[in-house]
Amino acid sequence: MTYMLPYKTKQFFFELIKLSIVIGAFYFIYQKLINNPELDFHDFIGFLSKKDILSLKSILSLLFLTFFNWFFEIIKWQTLVSPIKKISFKNAFEQSLGSLTASLFTPNRIGEYGAKAIYYTSNYRKRILLINLLGNILQMFTTTVFGVIGFCFFTAKHQVNIDYYKFAQYLLIGLLIIALIVFIVLKTKLTIKGYSLEKIKHFILGFPKKTMGFALFLSMLRYMIFSFQFYLLLQLFGTEISYFNAMTVITSMYLLASIIPSIFIFDVVIKGSVAIYLFGFIGFSEITILSTIAMMWLLNFVLPSMIGSYFVINFNLPKDPH
C-alpha cells in the first residue's frame, strides 16, 4: 500500500524547496564576495572607490550593456523554443533568469537544464533539455571561434611559453574522444537515461536551420556585448590599451577559461587566474584584472539572479494535460 502525502504537505515542501534555492543562491553570492581566495572584499571596495566606475554615467553605461546582454539571451531562448512551443518574451524572461538563480551554485550551472525544463509540461521536457543544450553549444561555438582568432593574434605578438608537445597530446586525445562520441551517435542505438542517441541526432539535425542561424547570430551579439563590457571596465579602471589589443586578450581569456575543466563554483577564480596570466604580458596589475572579473560577475550573474529569485519564489508547476 502506498501512502500519498496530503496536498497541503506537498505544497509546503514545494515552497520550502523554492525558498532553499533562493537562500542557497544568495549564500553562494555572499561567500564568493566575502571569501574570494584571490580578491579581498575590502580591497575590492577600496579599489572601486578610487576609480571613476562609481559615477552615474559609468554605472548607467555598464547596466545598459548588462541589459542588452540578457535581452539577447532571452530573445535567443524564445527563438530556440519557438519550433516546439510559442512563448512570450515575458515567459522567456522568467525562464532565463529563474533558471539562472536555480543553477547559480550547481557545478558548471548544470542545474539550468532541469530548471528550464520544469517550466514545461512533461511531454515537452526532453526536447527542452536538448534545446537548452543546443543553445549552450551555439554560445560555446561563438566563444571558440572568436577565441581562436584572438589567441592567434595574441601569440603572434607575445612570447607565450607553451608546451606544444603536451598541447598536441591533449588535442589528439580531445579529437579521439570527439570522434568516438560521433561514432557512437552515428553507429549505435545506445540510450542515456531514456534518451535515444539516434533520436538526439535526428532532433538536432532536423532543427530548423533558420532558427539555429538566428540563435547563432544572437550568441555572437551577446559575445560582442559582454566582451566590450569587459573592455569598458578596463577603461574605467584607468588602463591604457587599444580596443583591438584588449580584444585579443579578452577573447583568449574566455576561450582558455571555457576549456579548462572546472565546476562553476570556481569559475570566477579560474577566469581570474587566466586573466592575470594573459594580461600580465601587457603589465596590468592583479587588482585591476581581478576587480574587472568581479564586476563582470556581479553585473551579469549576481544582478540577474537577484531578479530571477522573484520568479523562483513565485514559480508554480505547470499542469500536465489530461
Side-chain angles (χ1 to χ4, degrees):
M1 184 178 71
T2 57
Y3 176 74
M4 298 293 290
L5 289 173
Y7 175 76
K8 287 187 176 180
T9 305
K10 288 181 179 179
Q11 282 296 104
F12 171 76
F13 280 115
F14 185 59
E15 295 299 322
L16 188 62
I17 290 170
K18 293 193 294 185
L19 185 61
S20 299
I21 290 171
V22 173
I23 292 173
F26 277 81
Y27 180 74
F28 170 78
I29 292 167
Y30 170 80
Q31 286 295 319
K32 287 283 86 184
L33 287 174
I34 302 301
N35 297 319
N36 190 322
E38 290 200 333
L39 180 63
D40 184 84
F41 180 71
H42 298 291
D43 292 341
F44 173 57
I45 296 299
F47 181 75
L48 292 184
S49 64
K50 296 176 183 178
K51 301 297 177 179
D52 189 41
I53 195 170
L54 296 179
S55 70
L56 180 61
K57 181 181 177 182
S58 300
I59 292 171
L60 290 176
S61 298
L62 293 168
L63 290 177
F64 177 81
L65 292 170
T66 296
F67 169 80
F68 276 102
N69 177 25
W70 276 96
F71 174 78
F72 289 125
E73 172 61 18
I74 292 162
I75 293 293
K76 185 174 83 171
W77 179 244
Q78 184 185 22
T79 300
L80 286 170
V81 174
S82 63
I84 66 165
K85 185 178 176 63
K86 302 292 183 182
I87 61 172
S88 66
F89 179 84
K90 180 182 177 183
N91 292 144
F93 179 77
E94 178 180 346
Q95 291 169 24
S96 297
L97 269 63
S99 63
L100 171 67
T101 304
S103 67
L104 196 63
F105 51 88
T106 60
N108 281 331
R109 282 185 56 206
I110 198 169
E112 179 191 21
Y113 289 89
K116 277 184 176 173
I118 206 171
Y119 275 97
Y120 296 82
T121 52
S122 57
N123 56 315
Y124 285 110
R125 286 174 186 164
K126 288 186 178 181
R127 286 174 289 173
I128 291 297
L129 287 171
L130 293 176
I131 288 171
N132 195 38
L133 174 63
L134 179 60
N136 288 334
I137 289 172
L138 292 174
Q139 198 66 56
M140 183 62 189
F141 174 78
T142 303
T143 301
T144 303
V145 170
F146 280 102
V148 168
I149 295 170
F151 192 64
C152 287
F153 279 106
F154 182 81
T155 53
K157 187 173 182 179
H158 303 283
Q159 288 292 103
V160 182
N161 294 321
I162 300 175
D163 189 332
Y164 288 99
Y165 177 71
K166 283 189 176 180
F167 179 78
Q169 281 185 317
Y170 291 136
L171 181 62
L172 181 60
I173 292 170
L175 290 173
L176 287 173
I177 292 172
I178 292 171
L180 180 62
I181 292 171
V182 171
F183 175 80
I184 291 172
V185 171
L186 294 176
K187 300 296 181 181
T188 71
K189 294 183 178 180
L190 293 176
T191 59
I192 299 175
K193 294 184 178 180
Y195 288 83
S196 164
L197 294 179
E198 188 69 22
K199 288 183 179 179
I200 293 173
K201 181 188 73 173
H202 285 301
F203 179 85
I204 294 176
L205 292 177
F207 201 81
K209 299 300 182 288
K210 286 186 178 179
T211 302
M212 198 182 300
F214 185 56
L216 179 60
F217 172 70
L218 293 171
S219 297
M220 291 180 177
L221 281 179
R222 282 197 69 214
Y223 188 91
M224 288 186 283
I225 287 169
F226 64 69
S227 59
F228 177 76
Q229 189 178 43
F230 197 104
Y231 169 73
L232 178 60
L233 280 164
L234 290 176
Q235 294 294 299
L236 292 173
F237 288 148
T239 60
E240 294 184 5
I241 185 173
S242 69
Y243 180 72
F244 177 79
N245 288 334
M247 284 300 108
T248 62
V249 187
I250 293 168
T251 54
S252 299
M253 176 198 71
Y254 281 119
L255 172 67
L256 295 177
S258 64
I259 63 177
I260 295 174
S262 67
I263 60 174
F264 185 71
I265 292 174
F266 302 109
D267 183 64
V268 179
V269 176
I270 287 172
K271 279 193 175 67
S273 300
V274 172
I276 288 170
Y277 174 74
L278 294 175
F279 278 101
F281 284 92
I282 47 182
F284 284 10
S285 67
E286 286 192 14
I287 185 67
T288 299
I289 302 307
L290 291 174
S291 295
T292 303
I293 295 287
M295 282 300 301
M296 287 291 293
W297 183 67
L298 287 169
L299 288 165
N300 294 296
F301 288 98
V302 174
L303 182 59
S305 68
M306 287 181 174
I307 299 171
S309 64
Y310 170 81
F311 298 123
V312 172
I313 291 295
N314 290 280
F315 172 76
N316 291 304
L317 284 169
K319 293 182 179 179
D320 286 320
H322 296 290

